[in-house]
mmCIF file of all heavy atoms in Angstrom:
data_model
loop_
_atom_site.group_PDB
_atom_site.id
_atom_site.type_symbol
_atom_site.label_atom_id
_atom_site.label_comp_id
_atom_site.label_asym_id
_atom_site.label_seq_id
_atom_site.Cartn_x
_atom_site.Cartn_y
_atom_site.Cartn_z
ATOM 1 N N ARG P 1323 69.580 -57.670 -5.045
ATOM 2 C CA ARG P 1323 70.520 -56.632 -5.476
ATOM 3 C C ARG P 1323 70.005 -55.268 -5.063
ATOM 4 O O ARG P 1323 68.869 -54.906 -5.339
ATOM 5 C CB ARG P 1323 70.718 -56.690 -6.997
ATOM 6 C CG ARG P 1323 71.790 -55.731 -7.509
ATOM 7 C CD ARG P 1323 72.200 -56.100 -8.931
ATOM 8 N NE ARG P 1323 71.089 -55.968 -9.847
ATOM 9 C CZ ARG P 1323 70.934 -54.937 -10.704
ATOM 10 N NH1 ARG P 1323 71.827 -53.961 -10.738
ATOM 11 N NH2 ARG P 1323 69.902 -54.897 -11.518
ATOM 12 N N ALA P 1324 70.877 -54.505 -4.396
ATOM 13 C CA ALA P 1324 70.581 -53.118 -4.057
ATOM 14 C C ALA P 1324 71.487 -52.224 -4.884
ATOM 15 O O ALA P 1324 72.721 -52.326 -4.792
ATOM 16 C CB ALA P 1324 70.800 -52.861 -2.579
ATOM 17 N N VAL P 1325 70.892 -51.377 -5.702
ATOM 18 C CA VAL P 1325 71.661 -50.375 -6.440
ATOM 19 C C VAL P 1325 71.740 -49.130 -5.561
ATOM 20 O O VAL P 1325 70.715 -48.599 -5.117
ATOM 21 C CB VAL P 1325 71.009 -50.057 -7.796
ATOM 22 C CG1 VAL P 1325 71.671 -48.838 -8.433
ATOM 23 C CG2 VAL P 1325 71.114 -51.259 -8.719
ATOM 24 N N VAL P 1326 72.956 -48.686 -5.299
ATOM 25 C CA VAL P 1326 73.196 -47.548 -4.419
ATOM 26 C C VAL P 1326 73.728 -46.391 -5.251
ATOM 27 O O VAL P 1326 74.813 -46.479 -5.836
ATOM 28 C CB VAL P 1326 74.197 -47.918 -3.303
ATOM 29 C CG1 VAL P 1326 74.486 -46.708 -2.429
ATOM 30 C CG2 VAL P 1326 73.653 -49.078 -2.480
ATOM 31 N N LEU P 1342 72.153 -54.588 5.169
ATOM 32 C CA LEU P 1342 71.871 -55.085 3.813
ATOM 33 C C LEU P 1342 72.496 -56.461 3.607
ATOM 34 O O LEU P 1342 71.869 -57.357 3.021
ATOM 35 C CB LEU P 1342 72.397 -54.099 2.776
ATOM 36 C CG LEU P 1342 71.604 -52.799 2.640
ATOM 37 C CD1 LEU P 1342 72.438 -51.735 1.954
ATOM 38 C CD2 LEU P 1342 70.308 -53.029 1.859
ATOM 39 N N TYR P 1347 71.603 -58.946 0.471
ATOM 40 C CA TYR P 1347 71.752 -58.040 -0.671
ATOM 41 C C TYR P 1347 73.204 -57.958 -1.120
ATOM 42 O O TYR P 1347 74.125 -57.831 -0.299
ATOM 43 C CB TYR P 1347 71.291 -56.628 -0.304
ATOM 44 C CG TYR P 1347 69.793 -56.448 -0.343
ATOM 45 C CD1 TYR P 1347 69.029 -56.684 0.800
ATOM 46 C CD2 TYR P 1347 69.140 -56.044 -1.501
ATOM 47 C CE1 TYR P 1347 67.650 -56.530 0.787
ATOM 48 C CE2 TYR P 1347 67.768 -55.885 -1.523
ATOM 49 C CZ TYR P 1347 67.027 -56.130 -0.386
ATOM 50 O OH TYR P 1347 65.667 -55.969 -0.415
ATOM 51 N N ALA P 1371 66.610 -53.903 -10.336
ATOM 52 C CA ALA P 1371 67.121 -54.189 -8.998
ATOM 53 C C ALA P 1371 65.973 -54.283 -7.996
ATOM 54 O O ALA P 1371 64.956 -53.598 -8.122
ATOM 55 C CB ALA P 1371 68.097 -53.099 -8.565
ATOM 56 N N GLU P 1372 66.159 -55.137 -7.000
ATOM 57 C CA GLU P 1372 65.132 -55.277 -5.965
ATOM 58 C C GLU P 1372 64.989 -54.002 -5.129
ATOM 59 O O GLU P 1372 63.918 -53.732 -4.583
ATOM 60 C CB GLU P 1372 65.462 -56.455 -5.049
ATOM 61 C CG GLU P 1372 65.165 -57.818 -5.638
ATOM 62 C CD GLU P 1372 66.218 -58.286 -6.629
ATOM 63 O OE1 GLU P 1372 67.297 -57.648 -6.740
ATOM 64 O OE2 GLU P 1372 65.969 -59.307 -7.317
ATOM 65 N N LEU P 1373 66.063 -53.229 -5.019
ATOM 66 C CA LEU P 1373 66.043 -52.022 -4.194
ATOM 67 C C LEU P 1373 66.972 -50.985 -4.789
ATOM 68 O O LEU P 1373 68.060 -51.323 -5.279
ATOM 69 C CB LEU P 1373 66.500 -52.366 -2.767
ATOM 70 C CG LEU P 1373 66.707 -51.208 -1.785
ATOM 71 C CD1 LEU P 1373 65.414 -50.448 -1.537
ATOM 72 C CD2 LEU P 1373 67.292 -51.727 -0.470
ATOM 73 N N VAL P 1374 66.567 -49.723 -4.734
ATOM 74 C CA VAL P 1374 67.432 -48.588 -5.069
ATOM 75 C C VAL P 1374 67.540 -47.701 -3.836
ATOM 76 O O VAL P 1374 66.528 -47.339 -3.230
ATOM 77 C CB VAL P 1374 66.883 -47.782 -6.262
ATOM 78 C CG1 VAL P 1374 67.613 -46.443 -6.403
ATOM 79 C CG2 VAL P 1374 66.997 -48.584 -7.549
ATOM 80 N N ILE P 1375 68.784 -47.379 -3.456
ATOM 81 C CA ILE P 1375 69.048 -46.465 -2.348
ATOM 82 C C ILE P 1375 69.753 -45.244 -2.918
ATOM 83 O O ILE P 1375 70.776 -45.370 -3.597
ATOM 84 C CB ILE P 1375 69.918 -47.124 -1.269
ATOM 85 C CG1 ILE P 1375 69.241 -48.375 -0.707
ATOM 86 C CG2 ILE P 1375 70.222 -46.131 -0.140
ATOM 87 C CD1 ILE P 1375 70.100 -49.151 0.281
ATOM 88 N N ARG P 1402 61.193 -45.155 -11.808
ATOM 89 C CA ARG P 1402 61.198 -46.164 -10.748
ATOM 90 C C ARG P 1402 59.985 -45.993 -9.838
ATOM 91 O O ARG P 1402 59.323 -46.974 -9.457
ATOM 92 C CB ARG P 1402 62.494 -46.019 -9.943
ATOM 93 C CG ARG P 1402 62.623 -46.956 -8.756
ATOM 94 C CD ARG P 1402 63.255 -48.247 -9.125
ATOM 95 N NE ARG P 1402 63.325 -49.163 -7.984
ATOM 96 C CZ ARG P 1402 63.832 -50.385 -8.033
ATOM 97 N NH1 ARG P 1402 64.334 -50.849 -9.153
ATOM 98 N NH2 ARG P 1402 63.847 -51.169 -6.983
ATOM 99 N N ARG P 1407 58.484 -49.513 -7.555
ATOM 100 C CA ARG P 1407 59.565 -50.404 -7.149
ATOM 101 C C ARG P 1407 60.276 -49.807 -5.939
ATOM 102 O O ARG P 1407 60.423 -48.592 -5.844
ATOM 103 C CB ARG P 1407 60.566 -50.606 -8.290
ATOM 104 C CG ARG P 1407 59.979 -51.198 -9.576
ATOM 105 C CD ARG P 1407 59.471 -52.617 -9.380
ATOM 106 N NE ARG P 1407 60.482 -53.497 -8.791
ATOM 107 C CZ ARG P 1407 61.467 -54.065 -9.488
ATOM 108 N NH1 ARG P 1407 61.606 -53.834 -10.787
ATOM 109 N NH2 ARG P 1407 62.329 -54.871 -8.883
ATOM 110 N N PRO P 1408 60.762 -50.612 -5.003
ATOM 111 C CA PRO P 1408 61.318 -50.089 -3.757
ATOM 112 C C PRO P 1408 62.441 -49.072 -3.939
ATOM 113 O O PRO P 1408 63.406 -49.301 -4.682
ATOM 114 C CB PRO P 1408 61.817 -51.352 -3.052
ATOM 115 C CG PRO P 1408 60.865 -52.412 -3.501
ATOM 116 C CD PRO P 1408 60.615 -52.095 -4.953
ATOM 117 N N VAL P 1409 62.281 -47.948 -3.236
ATOM 118 C CA VAL P 1409 63.248 -46.848 -3.231
ATOM 119 C C VAL P 1409 63.409 -46.367 -1.799
ATOM 120 O O VAL P 1409 62.421 -46.166 -1.089
ATOM 121 C CB VAL P 1409 62.777 -45.673 -4.106
ATOM 122 C CG1 VAL P 1409 63.724 -44.478 -3.969
ATOM 123 C CG2 VAL P 1409 62.654 -46.082 -5.572
ATOM 124 N N LEU P 1410 64.658 -46.162 -1.396
ATOM 125 C CA LEU P 1410 64.980 -45.565 -0.108
ATOM 126 C C LEU P 1410 65.853 -44.343 -0.359
ATOM 127 O O LEU P 1410 66.943 -44.458 -0.935
ATOM 128 C CB LEU P 1410 65.723 -46.575 0.780
ATOM 129 C CG LEU P 1410 66.277 -46.063 2.113
ATOM 130 C CD1 LEU P 1410 65.176 -45.507 2.998
ATOM 131 C CD2 LEU P 1410 67.029 -47.184 2.835
ATOM 132 N N LEU P 1547 66.284 -49.845 9.190
ATOM 133 C CA LEU P 1547 66.531 -50.467 7.891
ATOM 134 C C LEU P 1547 66.093 -51.919 7.881
ATOM 135 O O LEU P 1547 65.523 -52.401 6.889
ATOM 136 C CB LEU P 1547 68.005 -50.353 7.527
ATOM 137 C CG LEU P 1547 68.381 -50.911 6.149
ATOM 138 C CD1 LEU P 1547 67.595 -50.214 5.042
ATOM 139 C CD2 LEU P 1547 69.882 -50.798 5.903
ATOM 140 N N TYR P 1550 62.389 -51.943 7.328
ATOM 141 C CA TYR P 1550 62.039 -51.604 5.941
ATOM 142 C C TYR P 1550 62.339 -52.772 4.997
ATOM 143 O O TYR P 1550 61.496 -53.131 4.147
ATOM 144 C CB TYR P 1550 62.818 -50.357 5.508
ATOM 145 C CG TYR P 1550 62.656 -50.020 4.046
ATOM 146 C CD1 TYR P 1550 61.430 -49.560 3.546
ATOM 147 C CD2 TYR P 1550 63.712 -50.147 3.165
ATOM 148 C CE1 TYR P 1550 61.278 -49.252 2.203
ATOM 149 C CE2 TYR P 1550 63.578 -49.836 1.824
ATOM 150 C CZ TYR P 1550 62.357 -49.392 1.337
ATOM 151 O OH TYR P 1550 62.220 -49.091 0.001
ATOM 152 N N LEU P 1551 63.497 -53.397 5.138
ATOM 153 C CA LEU P 1551 63.858 -54.506 4.254
ATOM 154 C C LEU P 1551 62.941 -55.704 4.459
ATOM 155 O O LEU P 1551 62.609 -56.425 3.502
ATOM 156 C CB LEU P 1551 65.307 -54.894 4.476
ATOM 157 C CG LEU P 1551 66.368 -53.837 4.142
ATOM 158 C CD1 LEU P 1551 67.769 -54.342 4.484
ATOM 159 C CD2 LEU P 1551 66.299 -53.428 2.664
ATOM 160 N N ILE P 1554 59.665 -54.838 2.520
ATOM 161 C CA ILE P 1554 59.682 -54.924 1.054
ATOM 162 C C ILE P 1554 59.913 -56.356 0.586
ATOM 163 O O ILE P 1554 59.473 -56.730 -0.512
ATOM 164 C CB ILE P 1554 60.713 -53.957 0.422
ATOM 165 C CG1 ILE P 1554 62.149 -54.317 0.800
ATOM 166 C CG2 ILE P 1554 60.381 -52.511 0.771
ATOM 167 C CD1 ILE P 1554 63.196 -53.506 0.044
#
Side-chain angles (χ1 to χ4, degrees):
R1323 186 165 63 103
V1325 170
V1326 178
L1342 287 161
Y1347 280 90
E1372 283 78 10
L1373 173 62
V1374 167
I1375 301 175
R1402 177 89 182 179
R1407 301 295 307 280
V1409 174
L1410 173 59
L1547 183 58
Y1550 173 69
L1551 297 177
I1554 65 172

